[in-house]
């Protein structure tokens, strides 16, 4: 009995310490510095991806349209979501005058519009990224499983329309949170203090879960098929360098798309899990940690493209070195180094 009581007391003390750590001034100063560095890296990397696609014609292919759409969503994390969070979540914990200003604004408007702006921006960019990953999974599935119909099905016009639909759907679903505003708002800008759990349980979580599942199933099927095709065809196509290069190039792009999905999953699953079990509201420091993980994901894709896709790597080098000219598609042996 005494052991149980002591254990509960120790747990309560730990929870209090963690909560205090999450609300301390030094923690928020660290968060501001780290997020500024992260925002600069995100902006630089994704601007490089978009500029490469815009400048070099060999990169303007159908499969890269969705990669650029993902880069746009990641870029907005760096120039929109992170600055909003720094200004209206972290700075008020460091500067008392700003905290008083936001409190007066909240009392006069019965809610903090900036908190809802942060929430809408976060959900919007999450959904845009997730839907784009699903579109990439479908595009890769068609390229590998239905190669003879790829040109017919995956046209530039259709891909652009899909990207427009992705942003329209993401905007509608993110703004929908305003229909589930709590009658009694909490004291923070976290979703648990602003929006009814119904929004997460009945709308956001099922949508994220379904799209996530579809993306993983399609990517695994595509990866398995591409890997099997490469193993079976490598000896047959050895004398046909063009076909061999095409096969290996398709496989490399498929693996890259799978890696992007894996990194996205590793960064976003903790947030979904913590939110689902209600931990985000209870513990002070863990929400900040998982949010940093979300932001970090937006900086990883340009690194993956540079490491995995030679054309992007050459484009990055030319832009950074300020070199003129185009990027040539060489034979497969150099293209896959």
């Amino acid at each position: 009995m005494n052991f149980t009581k002591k254990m509960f007391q120790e747990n309560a003390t730990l929870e209090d310490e963690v909560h205090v750590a999450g609300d301390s001034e030094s923690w928020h100063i660290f968060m501001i510095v780290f997020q500024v560095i992260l925002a600069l890296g995100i902006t630089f990397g994704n601007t490089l991806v978009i500029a490469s696609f815009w400048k070099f014609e060999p990169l303007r292919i159908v499969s890269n349209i969705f990669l650029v759409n993902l880069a746009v969503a990641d870029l907005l994390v760096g120039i929109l979501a992170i600055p909003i969070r720094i200004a209206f979540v972290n700075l008020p914990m460091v500067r008392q005058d700003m905290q008083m200003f936001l409190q007066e604004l909240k009392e006069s408007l019965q809610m903090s519009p900036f908190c809802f702006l942060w929430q809408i921006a976060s959900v919007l960019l999450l959904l845009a990224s997730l839907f784009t990953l699903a579109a990439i999974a479908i595009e890769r599935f068609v390229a590998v499983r239905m190669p003879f119909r790829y040109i017919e099905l995956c046209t530039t016009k259709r891909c652009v329309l899909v990207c427009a639909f992705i942003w329209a759907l993401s905007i509608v679903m993110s703004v929908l949170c305003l229909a589930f505003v709590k009658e009694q708002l909490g004291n923070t800008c976290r979703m648990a203090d602003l929006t009814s759990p119904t929004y997460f349980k009945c709308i956001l979580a099922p949508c994220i879960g379904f799209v996530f599942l579809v993306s993983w199933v399609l990517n695994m099927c595509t990866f398995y098929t591409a890997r099997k095709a490469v193993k079976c065809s490598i000896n047959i196509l050895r004398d046909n360098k063009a076909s061999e290069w095409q096969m290996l190039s398709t496989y490399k792009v498929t693996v890259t798309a799978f890696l992007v999905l894996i990194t996205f999953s590793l960064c976003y699953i903790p947030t979904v899990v913590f939110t689902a079990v209600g931990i985000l509201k209870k513990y002070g420091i863990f929400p900040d940690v998982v949010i940093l993980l979300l932001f970090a994901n937006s900086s990883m894709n340009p690194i993956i493209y540079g490491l995995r896709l030679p054309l992007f790597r050459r484009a990055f080098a030319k832009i950074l070195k300020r070199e003129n000219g185009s990027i040539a598609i060489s034979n497969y042996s150099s293209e896959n180094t």
Side-chain angles (χ1 to χ4, degrees):
M1 184 72 175
N2 291 333
F3 173 78
T4 304
K5 183 177 180 181
K6 182 179 179 181
M7 183 178 68
F8 278 122
Q9 289 175 344
E10 290 177 352
N11 288 340
T13 303
L14 177 62
E15 291 171 10
D16 292 339
E17 290 175 354
V18 172
H19 180 75
V20 170
D23 288 334
S24 67
E25 182 176 327
S26 58
W27 173 255
H28 283 279
I29 292 174
F30 166 78
M31 284 289 295
I32 291 171
V33 173
F34 191 88
Q35 287 175 111
V36 167
I37 296 173
L38 205 53
L40 293 175
I42 290 169
T43 303
F44 173 76
N46 288 287
T47 300
L48 204 56
V49 173
I50 297 169
S52 298
F53 180 83
W54 182 266
K55 185 175 181 180
F56 299 109
E57 189 174 350
L59 287 174
R60 294 187 214 132
I61 57 178
V62 169
S63 59
N64 287 344
I65 292 175
F66 294 120
L67 296 185
V68 170
N69 196 59
L70 190 60
V72 171
D74 289 335
L75 178 63
L76 289 175
V77 170
I79 64 177
L80 180 64
I82 293 180
I84 290 175
R85 190 174 195 279
I86 290 174
F88 301 106
V89 177
N90 299 118
L91 275 180
M93 302 303 296
V94 177
R95 292 180 57 88
Q96 295 297 323
D97 54 342
M98 191 167 186
Q99 188 174 18
M100 292 175 61
F101 165 74
L102 290 179
Q103 184 62 32
E104 292 174 359
L105 184 65
K106 181 177 177 180
E107 290 175 356
S108 62
L109 299 177
Q110 299 302 313
M111 67 176 189
S112 177
F114 303 106
C115 287
F116 283 99
L117 179 60
W118 149 248
Q119 179 174 312
I120 290 172
S122 301
V123 175
L124 167 63
L125 299 177
L126 162 63
L127 293 176
S129 298
L130 185 58
F131 293 155
T132 302
L133 287 175
I136 292 172
I138 295 171
E139 184 270 335
R140 285 292 87 202
F141 182 84
V142 174
V144 173
R145 299 295 292 266
M146 296 181 284
F148 298 108
R149 297 196 62 195
Y150 179 79
I151 295 178
E152 173 193 349
L153 296 175
C154 296
T155 64
T156 300
K157 182 178 180 180
R158 285 180 179 175
C159 291
V160 171
L161 288 175
V162 168
C163 291
F165 176 76
I166 284 172
W167 284 101
L169 182 61
S170 301
I171 291 171
V172 170
M173 291 195 63
S174 59
V175 174
L176 195 61
C177 72
L178 297 178
F180 294 87
V181 177
K182 281 186 172 182
E183 293 183 5
Q184 185 65 38
L185 298 178
N187 295 320
T188 73
C189 279
R190 295 166 189 158
M191 181 179 288
D193 286 333
L194 299 173
T195 309
S196 168
T198 305
Y199 174 69
F200 179 81
K201 294 177 182 178
C202 299
I203 297 177
L204 203 55
C207 175
I208 292 174
F210 175 75
V211 177
F212 218 77
L213 179 62
V214 170
S215 300
W216 266 96
V217 170
L218 288 177
N219 268 287
M220 291 181 71
C221 291
T222 304
F223 175 76
Y224 174 78
T225 303
R227 185 179 178 85
K228 187 177 179 180
V230 168
K231 286 184 176 181
C232 294
S233 305
I234 195 71
N235 293 325
I236 299 174
L237 298 175
R238 190 168 295 279
D239 295 330
N240 189 336
K241 293 297 183 182
S243 298
E244 187 179 5
W245 174 83
Q246 185 64 41
M247 176 72 71
L248 293 174
S249 179
T250 300
Y251 178 69
K252 174 162 279 193
V253 174
T254 300
V255 173
T256 302
F258 202 10
L259 287 174
V260 170
L261 178 64
I262 290 172
T263 56
F264 182 89
S265 302
L266 291 175
C267 292
Y268 274 84
I269 284 177
T271 300
V272 175
V273 172
F274 277 126
T275 303
V277 298
I279 293 180
L280 283 180
K281 184 179 179 182
K282 190 174 183 180
Y283 298 111
I285 197 171
F286 293 115
D288 293 330
V289 172
V290 295
I291 285 171
L292 286 181
L293 201 57
L294 301 186
F295 291 159
N297 177 72
S298 296
S299 66
M300 294 178 185
N301 292 336
I303 299 174
I304 294 174
Y305 303 157
L307 293 175
R308 293 286 310 170
L309 303 176
L311 283 180
F312 270 106
R313 185 161 62 243
R314 291 180 203 147
F316 293 168
K318 278 189 170 292
I319 290 175
L320 293 176
K321 293 177 182 178
R322 297 183 179 180
E323 295 179 356
N324 296 322
S326 183
I327 49 173
I329 302 178
S330 59
N331 57 48
Y332 95 91
S333 58
S334 62
E335 192 73 19
N336 290 279
T337 55

Short mmCIF file of all heavy atoms in Angstrom, two decimals, residues 93-130:
data_model
loop_
_atom_site.label_atom_id
_atom_site.label_comp_id
_atom_site.label_asym_id
_atom_site.label_seq_id
_atom_site.Cartn_x
_atom_site.Cartn_y
_atom_site.Cartn_z
N MET A 93 6.35 33.24 -24.00
CA MET A 93 6.87 32.64 -22.78
C MET A 93 8.20 33.26 -22.37
O MET A 93 8.70 33.03 -21.28
CB MET A 93 7.06 31.13 -22.98
CG MET A 93 5.78 30.41 -23.37
SD MET A 93 4.43 30.65 -22.17
CE MET A 93 5.12 29.84 -20.73
N VAL A 94 8.78 34.07 -23.27
CA VAL A 94 10.06 34.72 -22.99
C VAL A 94 9.86 36.21 -22.71
O VAL A 94 10.45 36.78 -21.81
CB VAL A 94 11.04 34.53 -24.17
CG1 VAL A 94 12.35 35.27 -23.91
CG2 VAL A 94 11.29 33.04 -24.40
N ARG A 95 8.97 36.84 -23.51
CA ARG A 95 8.70 38.28 -23.36
C ARG A 95 7.33 38.47 -22.71
O ARG A 95 6.30 38.11 -23.28
CB ARG A 95 8.73 38.97 -24.73
CG ARG A 95 10.12 39.00 -25.37
CD ARG A 95 10.05 39.71 -26.73
NE ARG A 95 9.52 41.05 -26.61
CZ ARG A 95 10.24 42.14 -26.37
NH1 ARG A 95 11.54 42.02 -26.22
NH2 ARG A 95 9.69 43.33 -26.29
N GLN A 96 7.32 39.01 -21.51
CA GLN A 96 6.09 39.20 -20.77
C GLN A 96 5.15 40.20 -21.44
O GLN A 96 3.93 40.04 -21.39
CB GLN A 96 6.42 39.66 -19.34
CG GLN A 96 7.16 38.64 -18.50
CD GLN A 96 6.32 37.39 -18.28
OE1 GLN A 96 5.10 37.46 -18.11
NE2 GLN A 96 6.98 36.23 -18.29
N ASP A 97 5.72 41.24 -22.08
CA ASP A 97 4.87 42.23 -22.72
C ASP A 97 4.07 41.62 -23.86
O ASP A 97 2.89 41.94 -24.07
CB ASP A 97 5.70 43.40 -23.23
CG ASP A 97 6.84 42.96 -24.16
OD1 ASP A 97 7.19 41.76 -24.12
OD2 ASP A 97 7.36 43.81 -24.90
N MET A 98 4.68 40.69 -24.60
CA MET A 98 3.97 40.04 -25.70
C MET A 98 2.91 39.08 -25.15
O MET A 98 1.83 38.92 -25.72
CB MET A 98 4.95 39.28 -26.59
CG MET A 98 4.34 38.78 -27.89
SD MET A 98 5.58 38.25 -29.07
CE MET A 98 4.50 37.92 -30.49
N GLN A 99 3.23 38.45 -24.02
CA GLN A 99 2.26 37.56 -23.39
C GLN A 99 1.02 38.33 -22.95
O GLN A 99 -0.11 37.87 -23.14
CB GLN A 99 2.90 36.85 -22.19
CG GLN A 99 2.03 35.75 -21.59
CD GLN A 99 2.77 34.99 -20.51
OE1 GLN A 99 3.77 35.46 -19.98
NE2 GLN A 99 2.28 33.82 -20.17
N MET A 100 1.23 39.52 -22.39
CA MET A 100 0.11 40.35 -21.97
C MET A 100 -0.71 40.82 -23.17
O MET A 100 -1.93 40.84 -23.13
CB MET A 100 0.64 41.56 -21.18
CG MET A 100 1.25 41.20 -19.84
SD MET A 100 1.99 42.63 -19.02
CE MET A 100 0.56 43.69 -18.85
N PHE A 101 -0.01 41.16 -24.28
CA PHE A 101 -0.71 41.59 -25.49
C PHE A 101 -1.61 40.47 -26.03
O PHE A 101 -2.77 40.71 -26.38
CB PHE A 101 0.32 42.01 -26.55
CG PHE A 101 -0.26 42.14 -27.93
CD1 PHE A 101 -1.07 43.21 -28.27
CD2 PHE A 101 0.00 41.17 -28.90
CE1 PHE A 101 -1.61 43.34 -29.54
CE2 PHE A 101 -0.53 41.28 -30.18
CZ PHE A 101 -1.33 42.36 -30.50
N LEU A 102 -1.09 39.25 -26.09
CA LEU A 102 -1.86 38.13 -26.61
C LEU A 102 -3.03 37.78 -25.69
O LEU A 102 -4.11 37.39 -26.14
CB LEU A 102 -0.97 36.89 -26.79
CG LEU A 102 0.06 36.98 -27.93
CD1 LEU A 102 0.89 35.71 -27.98
CD2 LEU A 102 -0.63 37.20 -29.27
N GLN A 103 -2.81 37.94 -24.38
CA GLN A 103 -3.90 37.66 -23.43
C GLN A 103 -5.03 38.67 -23.60
O GLN A 103 -6.21 38.31 -23.59
CB GLN A 103 -3.35 37.71 -21.99
CG GLN A 103 -4.37 37.33 -20.93
CD GLN A 103 -4.87 35.91 -21.08
OE1 GLN A 103 -4.13 35.04 -21.52
NE2 GLN A 103 -6.13 35.67 -20.73
N GLU A 104 -4.67 39.96 -23.78
CA GLU A 104 -5.69 40.98 -24.02
C GLU A 104 -6.43 40.73 -25.33
O GLU A 104 -7.65 40.89 -25.43
CB GLU A 104 -5.04 42.37 -24.05
CG GLU A 104 -4.49 42.81 -22.69
CD GLU A 104 -3.73 44.12 -22.80
OE1 GLU A 104 -3.63 44.64 -23.93
OE2 GLU A 104 -3.24 44.61 -21.77
N LEU A 105 -5.69 40.31 -26.35
CA LEU A 105 -6.29 40.02 -27.64
C LEU A 105 -7.25 38.85 -27.52
O LEU A 105 -8.36 38.85 -28.08
CB LEU A 105 -5.19 39.71 -28.67
CG LEU A 105 -5.64 39.47 -30.11
CD1 LEU A 105 -6.24 40.75 -30.68
CD2 LEU A 105 -4.45 39.03 -30.97
N LYS A 106 -6.82 37.84 -26.77
CA LYS A 106 -7.66 36.66 -26.58
C LYS A 106 -8.95 37.01 -25.84
O LYS A 106 -10.04 36.55 -26.18
CB LYS A 106 -6.89 35.59 -25.80
CG LYS A 106 -7.67 34.31 -25.57
CD LYS A 106 -6.80 33.29 -24.86
CE LYS A 106 -7.59 32.02 -24.57
NZ LYS A 106 -6.78 31.01 -23.87
N GLU A 107 -8.84 37.86 -24.82
CA GLU A 107 -10.02 38.24 -24.05
C GLU A 107 -10.97 39.10 -24.87
O GLU A 107 -12.18 38.98 -24.77
CB GLU A 107 -9.58 38.98 -22.79
CG GLU A 107 -8.88 38.07 -21.78
CD GLU A 107 -8.34 38.86 -20.60
OE1 GLU A 107 -8.45 40.12 -20.64
OE2 GLU A 107 -7.80 38.25 -19.66
N SER A 108 -10.41 39.96 -25.72
CA SER A 108 -11.27 40.86 -26.51
C SER A 108 -11.97 40.12 -27.64
O SER A 108 -13.08 40.46 -28.03
CB SER A 108 -10.45 42.01 -27.08
OG SER A 108 -9.45 41.51 -27.96
N LEU A 109 -11.34 39.09 -28.18
CA LEU A 109 -11.91 38.36 -29.30
C LEU A 109 -12.53 37.02 -28.89
O LEU A 109 -13.04 36.28 -29.72
CB LEU A 109 -10.85 38.09 -30.37
CG LEU A 109 -10.20 39.33 -31.01
CD1 LEU A 109 -9.13 38.89 -31.98
CD2 LEU A 109 -11.25 40.17 -31.72
N GLN A 110 -12.47 36.72 -27.59
CA GLN A 110 -12.97 35.46 -27.06
C GLN A 110 -12.17 34.26 -27.54
O GLN A 110 -12.51 33.12 -27.30
CB GLN A 110 -14.45 35.26 -27.40
CG GLN A 110 -15.35 36.33 -26.84
CD GLN A 110 -15.24 36.44 -25.32
OE1 GLN A 110 -15.28 35.44 -24.62
NE2 GLN A 110 -15.09 37.65 -24.82
N MET A 111 -11.11 34.49 -28.29
CA MET A 111 -10.21 33.42 -28.69
C MET A 111 -8.98 34.07 -29.30
O MET A 111 -8.99 35.23 -29.66
CB MET A 111 -10.85 32.48 -29.71
CG MET A 111 -11.12 33.12 -31.07
SD MET A 111 -11.76 31.92 -32.23
CE MET A 111 -11.69 32.89 -33.76
N SER A 112 -7.91 33.32 -29.42
CA SER A 112 -6.70 33.85 -30.04
C SER A 112 -6.67 33.44 -31.51
O SER A 112 -6.50 32.27 -31.82
CB SER A 112 -5.46 33.31 -29.33
OG SER A 112 -4.31 33.76 -29.99
N PRO A 113 -6.86 34.39 -32.42
CA PRO A 113 -6.88 34.03 -33.85
C PRO A 113 -5.56 33.47 -34.32
O PRO A 113 -5.52 32.67 -35.25
CB PRO A 113 -7.21 35.36 -34.53
CG PRO A 113 -6.79 36.41 -33.57
CD PRO A 113 -7.03 35.83 -32.22
N PHE A 114 -4.47 33.88 -33.69
CA PHE A 114 -3.17 33.40 -34.11
C PHE A 114 -2.97 31.93 -33.75
O PHE A 114 -2.29 31.21 -34.47
CB PHE A 114 -2.08 34.27 -33.47
CG PHE A 114 -2.22 35.72 -33.79
CD1 PHE A 114 -2.68 36.62 -32.85
CD2 PHE A 114 -1.92 36.18 -35.07
CE1 PHE A 114 -2.82 37.96 -33.16
CE2 PHE A 114 -2.07 37.52 -35.39
CZ PHE A 114 -2.51 38.41 -34.43
N CYS A 115 -3.57 31.52 -32.64
CA CYS A 115 -3.50 30.10 -32.28
C CYS A 115 -4.21 29.25 -33.31
O CYS A 115 -3.73 28.19 -33.72
CB CYS A 115 -4.12 29.87 -30.90
SG CYS A 115 -3.11 30.48 -29.54
N PHE A 116 -5.37 29.73 -33.76
CA PHE A 116 -6.11 28.98 -34.78
C PHE A 116 -5.39 29.06 -36.13
O PHE A 116 -5.44 28.10 -36.91
CB PHE A 116 -7.53 29.51 -34.89
CG PHE A 116 -8.42 29.04 -33.78
CD1 PHE A 116 -8.68 29.85 -32.69
CD2 PHE A 116 -8.97 27.77 -33.81
CE1 PHE A 116 -9.48 29.41 -31.65
CE2 PHE A 116 -9.77 27.32 -32.78
CZ PHE A 116 -10.04 28.14 -31.70
N LEU A 117 -4.73 30.18 -36.40
CA LEU A 117 -3.94 30.29 -37.63
C LEU A 117 -2.81 29.26 -37.61
O LEU A 117 -2.55 28.60 -38.62
CB LEU A 117 -3.38 31.70 -37.76
CG LEU A 117 -2.50 31.96 -39.00
CD1 LEU A 117 -3.29 31.73 -40.28
CD2 LEU A 117 -1.94 33.37 -38.96
N TRP A 118 -2.16 29.10 -36.46
CA TRP A 118 -1.09 28.11 -36.30
C TRP A 118 -1.64 26.70 -36.50
O TRP A 118 -1.05 25.88 -37.21
CB TRP A 118 -0.45 28.25 -34.93
CG TRP A 118 0.08 26.97 -34.33
CD1 TRP A 118 -0.40 26.32 -33.24
CD2 TRP A 118 1.19 26.20 -34.79
NE1 TRP A 118 0.33 25.20 -32.99
CE2 TRP A 118 1.31 25.09 -33.93
CE3 TRP A 118 2.08 26.33 -35.85
CZ2 TRP A 118 2.29 24.12 -34.09
CZ3 TRP A 118 3.06 25.36 -36.01
CH2 TRP A 118 3.16 24.28 -35.14
N GLN A 119 -2.80 26.43 -35.91
CA GLN A 119 -3.39 25.09 -36.02
C GLN A 119 -3.80 24.80 -37.47
O GLN A 119 -3.54 23.72 -37.99
CB GLN A 119 -4.60 24.96 -35.11
CG GLN A 119 -5.26 23.58 -35.20
CD GLN A 119 -6.37 23.40 -34.19
OE1 GLN A 119 -6.20 23.70 -33.02
NE2 GLN A 119 -7.51 22.90 -34.64
N ILE A 120 -4.46 25.76 -38.12
CA ILE A 120 -4.89 25.56 -39.50
C ILE A 120 -3.69 25.35 -40.42
O ILE A 120 -3.69 24.46 -41.27
CB ILE A 120 -5.73 26.76 -39.98
CG1 ILE A 120 -7.09 26.78 -39.26
CG2 ILE A 120 -5.95 26.71 -41.50
CD1 ILE A 120 -7.90 28.04 -39.51
N ALA A 121 -2.64 26.17 -40.23
CA ALA A 121 -1.44 26.03 -41.06
C ALA A 121 -0.79 24.67 -40.86
O ALA A 121 -0.36 24.02 -41.83
CB ALA A 121 -0.45 27.14 -40.73
N SER A 122 -0.73 24.21 -39.61
CA SER A 122 -0.10 22.92 -39.31
C SER A 122 -0.87 21.77 -39.95
O SER A 122 -0.28 20.90 -40.59
CB SER A 122 -0.03 22.72 -37.79
OG SER A 122 0.71 23.74 -37.18
N VAL A 123 -2.19 21.77 -39.77
CA VAL A 123 -3.02 20.69 -40.33
C VAL A 123 -3.00 20.75 -41.86
O VAL A 123 -2.91 19.72 -42.54
CB VAL A 123 -4.46 20.78 -39.81
CG1 VAL A 123 -5.35 19.75 -40.49
CG2 VAL A 123 -4.50 20.58 -38.29
N LEU A 124 -3.06 21.97 -42.41
CA LEU A 124 -3.04 22.14 -43.87
C LEU A 124 -1.78 21.55 -44.47
O LEU A 124 -1.84 20.77 -45.45
CB LEU A 124 -3.13 23.63 -44.20
CG LEU A 124 -2.82 24.05 -45.65
CD1 LEU A 124 -3.82 23.42 -46.62
CD2 LEU A 124 -2.81 25.56 -45.78
N LEU A 125 -0.62 21.87 -43.91
CA LEU A 125 0.64 21.40 -44.48
C LEU A 125 0.85 19.91 -44.23
O LEU A 125 1.44 19.21 -45.07
CB LEU A 125 1.80 22.22 -43.90
CG LEU A 125 1.72 23.72 -44.21
CD1 LEU A 125 2.86 24.47 -43.56
CD2 LEU A 125 1.72 23.96 -45.72
N LEU A 126 0.35 19.41 -43.10
CA LEU A 126 0.40 17.97 -42.84
C LEU A 126 -0.40 17.22 -43.89
O LEU A 126 0.09 16.25 -44.50
CB LEU A 126 -0.14 17.66 -41.45
CG LEU A 126 -0.55 16.20 -41.17
CD1 LEU A 126 0.65 15.28 -41.27
CD2 LEU A 126 -1.21 16.08 -39.80
N LEU A 127 -1.63 17.66 -44.13
CA LEU A 127 -2.49 16.97 -45.09
C LEU A 127 -1.96 17.11 -46.51
O LEU A 127 -2.01 16.14 -47.29
CB LEU A 127 -3.92 17.52 -45.00
CG LEU A 127 -4.67 17.22 -43.69
CD1 LEU A 127 -6.03 17.90 -43.69
CD2 LEU A 127 -4.83 15.72 -43.49
N ALA A 128 -1.46 18.29 -46.87
CA ALA A 128 -0.91 18.48 -48.21
C ALA A 128 0.26 17.54 -48.45
O ALA A 128 0.38 16.94 -49.53
CB ALA A 128 -0.49 19.93 -48.40
N SER A 129 1.12 17.40 -47.46
CA SER A 129 2.26 16.49 -47.58
C SER A 129 1.80 15.04 -47.68
O SER A 129 2.29 14.28 -48.52
CB SER A 129 3.20 16.65 -46.38
OG SER A 129 3.74 17.95 -46.32
N LEU A 130 0.85 14.68 -46.83
CA LEU A 130 0.37 13.29 -46.81
C LEU A 130 -0.34 12.93 -48.11
O LEU A 130 -0.10 11.86 -48.69
CB LEU A 130 -0.58 13.10 -45.62
CG LEU A 130 -1.08 11.68 -45.36
CD1 LEU A 130 0.09 10.71 -45.15
CD2 LEU A 130 -2.02 11.65 -44.16
#
